[in-house]
């Protein structure tokens, strides 16, 4: 029993000695920080009230210049004792999901990820700058937009600056981009870390929203065209491999093309107006092109269709119109509301022995707006 008692007393003595050594350890073991937010607790990024997007603008194209929250050095004031790390951390919130898209946009040489918004086809590039105890750090892109530093035994101010830009990420549906974009948190830790984690919600949360942006999609009206080719006989065809002597004129029209204003806030932005219009004409399927001839379209299939002829188109100069090829709409001006008309001509074209019947052919016009 005496041996056991001595062992217990020795163990207790060791514990007390260990506690005593711990009490004399360096001050950073006991360091703390008490942070509180400073008004205001909400900031707004000011975007254009309306953005007009050409329907076929390439994905990844910027739709606006950069909008930013006010440069603020003191979202939080932290009273520190000992060595302690405090800082600012930004996180996506509201209409911005936590996972970015595959697109990005560069700001001052730094790649900012692009996130989806509440309007299909419209994304938001997000990043920012951190202010930490007198230091200016960044710009950084989401989602690791945060920084910490320590300052022994003094008050520390931490702040930041959120930066955003709208970007096209898919087929745009008209709508209004609006809502909360992000939140900033006081980021406190005994050791220097990276976000997320160690966020002090009790210190207050800073919210970031945006002014509403109405998104419109720019196009012209392109009505269908029916060309009456009339009645033609074999005598109207000089021979195989030649067009009929009777042609029919028609017009391709681009009606009510809207006027726009280019975004002057950022030269890289292509939004605000239709910069150019291109168009092309194709047979309804590639196999409808007649082999051995230049741009001749076969007649539609049907029990009463004629045979031995196809359709060939010509432009206003009389040149054969190139099918399956994008051509510019000459004279188009995206800054002016206008309508445009192209003079065209259609001819039957003899491809073989002619048999009587209906001679209809269908072609498809595609318009590209950028």
């Amino acid at each position: 029993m005496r041996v056991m008692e001595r062992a217990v007393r020795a163990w207790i003595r060791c514990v007390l000695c260990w506690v005593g050594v711990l009490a004399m350890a360096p001050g950073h073991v006991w360091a703390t920080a008490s942070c509180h937010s400073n008004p205001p607790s909400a900031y707004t990024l000011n975007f254009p009230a309306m953005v007009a997007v050409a329907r076929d603008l390439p994905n990844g194209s910027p739709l606006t210049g950069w909008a930013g929250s006010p440069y603020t050095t003191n979202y939080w004031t932290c009273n520190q004792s000992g060595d302690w790390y405090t800082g600012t951390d930004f996180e996506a919130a509201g209409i911005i999901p936590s996972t970015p898209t595959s697109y990005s946009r560069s700001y001052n040489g730094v790649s900012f990820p692009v996130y989806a918004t509440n309007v299909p086809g419209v994304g938001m590039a997000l990043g920012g700058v951190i202010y930490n105890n007198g230091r200016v750090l960044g710009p950084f892109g989401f989602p690791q937009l945060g920084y910490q530093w320590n300052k022994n035994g003094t008050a520390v101010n931490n702040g930041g600056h959120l930066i955003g830009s709208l970007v096209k990420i898919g087929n745009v549906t008209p709508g209004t981009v609006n809502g909360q974009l992000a939140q900033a948190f006081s980021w406190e830790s005994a050791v220097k870390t990276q976000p997320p984690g160690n966020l002090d919600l009790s210190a207050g949360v800073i919210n970031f929203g945006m002014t509403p942006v109405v998104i419109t999609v720019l196009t012209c009206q392109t009505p269908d065209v029916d060309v009456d080719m009339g009645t033609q006989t074999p005598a109207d065809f000089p021979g195989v491999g030649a067009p009929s002597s009777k042609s029919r004129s028609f017009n391709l029209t681009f009606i009510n093309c809207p006027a726009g204003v280019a975004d002057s806030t950022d030269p890289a932005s292509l939004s605000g107006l239709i910069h150019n219009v291109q168009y092309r004409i194709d047979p309804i399927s590639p196999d409808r092109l007649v082999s051995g001839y230049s741009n001749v379209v076969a007649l539609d299939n049907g029990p009463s269709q004629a045979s031995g002829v196809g359709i060939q188109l010509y432009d206003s100069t009389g040149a054969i119109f190139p099918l399956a090829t994008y051509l510019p709409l000459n004279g188009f001006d995206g800054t002016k509301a206008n309508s445009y008309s192209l003079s065209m001509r259609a001819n039957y074209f003899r491809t073989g022995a002619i048999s009587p019947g209906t001679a209809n052919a269908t072609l498809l016009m595609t318009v590209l707006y950028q």
Side-chain angles (χ1 to χ4, degrees), residues 327-340:
L327 300 173
L329 178 58
N330 294 325
F332 175 79
D333 185 348
T335 66
K336 300 176 181 178
N338 208 345
S339 297
Y340 303 86

Side-chain angles (χ1 to χ4, degrees), residues 242-299:
S244 165
S245 59
K246 294 179 179 178
S247 65
R248 291 292 186 271
S249 297
F250 67 97
N251 293 321
L252 294 179
T253 54
F254 302 78
I255 301 173
N256 295 330
C257 298
V261 178
D263 181 7
S264 60
T265 63
D266 189 338
S269 174
L270 297 177
S271 67
L273 51 77
I274 302 173
H275 291 263
N276 68 80
V277 176
Q278 300 178 59
Y279 65 100
R280 61 183 281 171
I281 298 177
D282 296 85
I284 55 175
S285 63
D287 62 356
R288 304 311 295 165
L289 281 173
V290 179
S291 177
Y293 297 104
S294 175
N295 296 284
V296 175
V297 179
L299 301 180

Side-chain angles (χ1 to χ4, degrees), residues 169-187:
I169 59 174
N171 293 330
V172 174
T173 299
T176 301
V177 182
N178 190 29
Q180 186 181 27
L181 304 178
Q183 292 180 311
F185 302 90
S186 181
W187 186 18

Side-chain angles (χ1 to χ4, degrees), residues 87-90 130 137 140-141 143-148 187 193-195:
T88 298
D89 174 51
F90 284 88
I130 300 297
L137 304 159
F140 299 122
Q144 280 79 39
L145 177 52
Y147 202 87
Q148 290 176 318
W187 186 18
T193 62
Q194 288 293 323

Side-chain angles (χ1 to χ4, degrees), residues 136-156:
V136 179
L137 304 159
F140 299 122
F142 271 46
Q144 280 79 39
L145 177 52
Y147 202 87
Q148 290 176 318
W149 201 261
N150 70 325
K151 183 70 173 177
N152 186 14
T154 187
V156 171

Side-chain angles (χ1 to χ4, degrees), residues 80-104:
Q80 302 184 196
S81 61
D83 292 326
W84 196 263
Y85 288 88
T86 64
T88 298
D89 174 51
F90 284 88
E91 300 288 342
I95 65 171
I96 305 298
S98 59
T99 301
T101 68
S102 60
Y103 297 99
S104 64

Side-chain angles (χ1 to χ4, degrees), residues 22-278:
L22 183 62
M24 293 184 291
H28 72 268
V29 175
W30 303 100
T32 61
S34 175
C35 301
H36 64 83
S37 61
N38 298 305
S41 61
Y43 294 88
T44 301
L45 279 68
N46 293 311
F47 285 90
M50 180 175 291
V51 171
V53 184
R55 185 191 64 191
D56 303 303
L57 190 70
N59 292 342
S61 298
L63 299 181
T64 68
W66 293 98
S69 64
Y71 287 85
T72 306
T73 60
N74 64 335
Y75 293 154
W76 298 276
T77 297
C78 298
N79 295 311
Q80 302 184 196
S81 61
D83 292 326
W84 196 263
Y85 288 88
T86 64
T88 298
D89 174 51
F90 284 88
E91 300 288 342
I95 65 171
I96 305 298
S98 59
T99 301
T101 68
S102 60
Y103 297 99
S104 64
R105 189 178 179 205
S106 178
Y107 176 84
N108 287 355
V110 176
S111 180
F112 283 9
V114 175
Y115 296 80
T117 69
N118 62 305
V119 172
V122 179
M124 177 79 73
L126 281 175
V129 173
I130 300 297
Y131 296 92
N132 181 257
N133 190 34
R135 299 173 180 86
V136 179
L137 304 159
F140 299 122
F142 271 46
Q144 280 79 39
L145 177 52
Y147 202 87
Q148 290 176 318
W149 201 261
N150 70 325
K151 183 70 173 177
N152 186 14
T154 187
V156 171
N157 285 324
N158 296 314
H161 170 57
L162 184 67
I163 308 164
S165 172
L166 293 181
V167 178
K168 185 174 183 288
I169 59 174
N171 293 330
V172 174
T173 299
T176 301
V177 182
N178 190 29
Q180 186 181 27
L181 304 178
Q183 292 180 311
F185 302 90
S186 181
W187 186 18
E188 306 161 20
S189 176
V191 295
K192 191 175 181 181
T193 62
Q194 288 293 323
N198 300 309
L199 304 181
D200 182 4
L201 300 184
S202 67
V205 178
I206 311 299
N207 296 296
F208 297 86
M210 63 178 293
T211 55
V213 183
V214 177
I215 305 294
T216 60
V217 180
L218 301 175
T219 63
C220 308
Q221 298 172 23
T222 52
D224 293 342
V225 179
D226 291 322
V227 182
D228 184 356
M229 299 298 293
T231 300
Q232 302 195 26
T233 68
D236 296 316
F237 295 88
V240 175
S244 165
S245 59
K246 294 179 179 178
S247 65
R248 291 292 186 271
S249 297
F250 67 97
N251 293 321
L252 294 179
T253 54
F254 302 78
I255 301 173
N256 295 330
C257 298
V261 178
D263 181 7
S264 60
T265 63
D266 189 338
S269 174
L270 297 177
S271 67
L273 51 77
I274 302 173
H275 291 263
N276 68 80
V277 176
Q278 300 178 59

